[in-house]
Amino acid sequence: MKKIVTLFILLIMGNCGIKVFKTKWTKEIAPKKYTARFETNKGNFDLKVTRELSPKAADRFYQLVKHRYFDNAIFYRVNPGFAAQFGTSDSTKHQRWDAV
C-alpha cells in the first residue's frame, strides 16, 4: 500500500512541474499581411492583419496562431462589429457553455 501511495504522489508531482518556456518561436516575424480563420460552433470568421499598422502586435498574434495557442479556446462574449472576448488556450479542461 505504501508503494502505491508513493507512486501516486510522484505521479501527481510530475504533472505539477513548471513547463520550460521556449522563446525560439517568439522571434518569428509575421508576413506583411495575413488572415487568421477562427472556426466556431456559431460560424467561422476571418481576421485580416496588416503588420504595418502594429508590427509587434501582428507578430505576437501570428506566433500564437501559428503555434495553435487558440485551438479549443472558448469565446465568452461577442459584441458584433466591436470585440470578442475569449479565454484560455486549453479550454477543453473547462465546462463549455453557449452565451445567450
Side-chain angles (χ1 to χ4, degrees):
M1 182 67 171
K2 189 174 182 179
K3 289 181 182 181
I4 293 173
V5 172
T6 304
L7 180 61
F8 181 72
I9 290 172
L10 289 174
L11 182 64
I12 290 174
M13 289 176 62
N15 288 329
C16 295
I18 298 172
K19 294 182 180 178
V20 177
F21 180 74
K22 297 178 183 176
T23 60
K24 180 180 177 183
W25 61 266
T26 62
K27 310 262 188 269
E28 296 174 0
I29 304 295
K32 290 182 181 183
K33 292 184 179 186
Y34 64 93
T35 302
R37 169 160 284 198
F38 286 81
E39 298 175 356
T40 75
N41 61 354
K42 298 288 185 179
N44 302 338
F45 65 92
D46 293 336
L47 186 65
K48 295 181 180 184
V49 179
T50 303
R51 187 174 187 275
E52 180 181 328
L53 299 175
S54 182
K56 289 184 180 183
D59 288 346
R60 185 64 175 148
F61 183 69
Y62 174 78
Q63 296 155 6
L64 292 171
V65 169
K66 182 177 177 184
H67 295 280
R68 307 178 71 87
Y69 179 81
F70 298 109
D71 286 7
N72 298 315
I74 296 174
F75 284 84
Y76 293 105
R77 77 181 116 200
V78 176
N79 293 323
F82 176 65
Q85 180 181 6
F86 49 97
T88 65
S89 64
D90 191 10
S91 30
T92 56
K93 294 181 181 177
H94 304 288
Q95 180 179 356
R96 293 186 176 268
W97 54 273
D98 289 330
V100 178

